[in-house]
Amino acid sequence: MWGVELTNSFDVPTSIVLEKFLRANTQDIAKAKAQLSGALKWRKQMQPRKLLAETEFNEAKFGGLGFVTVYPKTESHEKEIVTWNIYGGVKNKQETFGDVQEFVKWRAALMELSLKELDLASATVPIPQNGVDPYRMVQVHDYLNVSFLRMDPAVKAASKETIQIFSMAYPELLKEKFFVNVPLVMGWVFAAMKLFLSAETVKKFHPLSYGSNLAGELPGWGQELPTAYGGKGKDIKEGLTVKYAAAEAPVKDETK
């Protein structure tokens, strides 16, 4: 599970995984066990770690849409990990979102890349009882120049499936989630999330009208972000991403 070989609760990495499933279910052991079982079954079927290691995704469909950046140590964390989803970079909505399972596989591979950097298997300190969980990550969804989200059925289907699967298979890994450069038509996305996610999780969601405001939302390390997000750091494209294979033919841009 997430790179951790589950053994028993005395093993620190195992205890971290178990605690996350317990917290996702308000310490209800039966519900946590059921969710953990479901997540393990999904991982056995999907094999997301293998997707990350071996799959070359179609660059025309997904290239430039997802990155992972690791920022240096802060006062409370050994490192800060940010997963970026650049939906304004979609070239063809049907190609990217039309095959829901292919989209979910790409998104799962990107999540596994984030988890690889989180490296729970090497953790030596358990999550403090009734304390703040230090083993979590930040996600940013950027909708700059997006013009295809207005109730598009392909986008809605892919979004709904991803939200459902991730809430089941990756609980309590989210520290904060920022939606930047958000257009007004994004209201349905937040409505859909509220259907599948707990109120505590929804509280971690922060819509921002301008990407340049993001650095100010991350005190202590916001200046490490790229200039487009209000910082002074490197472009996210210099970060990590999944493997891509060049497309056989260019995809027509339908979103302009």
Side-chain angles (χ1 to χ4, degrees):
M1 175 64 71
W2 311 334
V4 174
E5 188 73 26
L6 299 180
T7 56
N8 57 64
S9 59
F10 296 103
D11 173 65
V12 170
T14 299
S15 74
I16 291 171
V17 173
L18 297 179
E19 179 63 19
K20 286 183 178 293
F21 279 86
L22 283 167
R23 289 192 177 198
N25 292 279
T26 60
Q27 302 298 320
D28 186 312
I29 295 176
K31 290 181 179 179
K33 181 179 178 181
Q35 184 176 351
L36 177 60
S37 177
L40 288 169
K41 290 177 181 177
W42 178 81
R43 294 186 70 83
K44 183 177 181 180
Q45 178 183 9
M46 184 64 71
Q47 298 190 45
R49 300 281 286 191
K50 188 175 181 180
L51 287 175
L52 173 63
E54 301 180 8
T55 301
E56 293 185 343
F57 293 92
N58 188 313
E59 189 170 17
K61 295 181 180 181
F62 304 110
L65 304 186
F67 299 93
V68 174
T69 307
V70 181
Y71 292 104
K73 182 176 180 178
T74 63
E75 291 183 3
S76 59
H77 290 76
E78 288 299 315
K79 54 186 174 182
E80 297 285 354
I81 299 169
V82 181
T83 304
W84 305 85
N85 290 271
I86 313 301
Y87 289 120
V90 171
K91 300 177 178 66
N92 182 306
K93 61 181 181 297
Q94 191 59 42
E95 288 289 328
T96 298
F97 300 103
D99 186 332
V100 173
Q101 288 306 308
E102 186 179 19
F103 178 81
V104 169
K105 287 180 179 180
W106 169 77
R107 188 63 187 82
L110 188 66
M111 186 67 177
E112 293 295 322
L113 180 59
S114 302
L115 281 164
K116 184 178 179 181
E117 294 303 314
L118 189 60
D119 193 17
L120 293 178
S122 298
T124 57
V125 179
I127 297 173
Q129 187 174 10
N130 300 320
V132 176
D133 179 355
Y135 304 105
R136 296 179 297 168
M137 304 174 288
V138 173
Q139 291 184 11
V140 178
H141 287 199
D142 190 342
Y143 296 94
L144 182 65
N145 297 324
V146 165
S147 60
F148 57 78
L149 282 170
R150 192 183 298 275
M151 306 300 287
D152 185 277
V155 179
K156 290 189 73 173
S159 298
K160 179 180 178 181
E161 184 76 3
T162 304
I163 293 168
Q164 284 184 293
I165 290 174
F166 275 44
S167 63
M168 178 274 297
Y170 298 106
E172 292 299 314
L173 287 166
L174 181 67
K175 180 181 178 183
E176 303 284 346
K177 189 167 189 172
F178 296 93
F179 300 83
V180 303
N181 300 308
V182 178
L184 293 176
V185 296
M186 283 295 297
W188 66 266
V189 174
F190 295 102
M193 289 178 177
K194 290 179 181 179
L195 293 176
F196 303 107
L197 302 172
S198 68
E200 286 300 314
T201 298
V202 173
K203 287 180 182 178
K204 301 173 185 177
F205 293 175
H206 310 287
L208 302 175
S209 297
Y210 301 100
S212 57
N213 292 339
L214 181 58
E217 298 289 326
L218 300 168
W221 59 283
Q223 290 303 304
E224 299 291 337
L225 300 183
T227 55
Y229 299 101
K232 300 178 180 179
K234 297 179 180 179
D235 192 282
I236 60 172
K237 293 181 180 179
E238 297 184 43
L240 307 170
T241 191
V242 300
K243 296 179 181 179
Y244 291 107
E248 295 181 1
V251 179
K252 184 180 179 181
D253 189 341
E254 294 181 345
T255 63
K256 293 184 178 181

